Amino acid sequence: MEKLLFTPDEAAHALAIGRSKLYQLLQVGELESVHIRTCRRVPAAALSNYVERLQALAGGQVAAARLRRPGALTEAR
């Protein structure tokens, strides 16, 4: 069975970020977590959703950058 919940350290490692950055993401609501009594855990699905949002954002930025290039509208025709 695949792991469903990660400790903050494990989640930070999975995202290749530091623990402090992970806690910042949790604090502002960018990344979801659950509490089991006093333990905080990050669901695997929350990690996947966060990465998907980052990819969608990056894809939109790339498309916008292409449109801002001089001649971009004439190239697309």
Side-chain angles (χ1 to χ4, degrees), residues 2-75:
E2 288 186 41
K3 196 168 189 169
L4 299 175
L5 297 173
F6 294 86
T7 65
D9 284 338
E10 292 169 335
H13 182 74
L15 293 173
I17 61 175
R19 209 175 90 157
S20 297
K21 184 63 173 180
L22 181 98
Y23 278 107
Q24 287 175 354
L25 294 173
L26 292 170
Q27 185 176 16
V28 297
E30 287 286 316
L31 188 60
E32 298 172 28
S33 68
V34 296
H35 287 273
I36 303 173
R37 295 193 182 240
T38 60
C39 299
R40 177 177 261 189
R41 296 293 182 260
V42 180
L47 295 174
S48 296
N49 291 340
Y50 178 68
V51 171
E52 287 172 10
R53 286 194 313 272
L54 289 176
Q55 289 175 325
L57 179 62
Q61 290 174 348
V62 169
R66 286 184 183 148
L67 288 176
R68 286 192 299 265
R69 278 194 347 234
L73 295 177
T74 56
E75 289 175 16

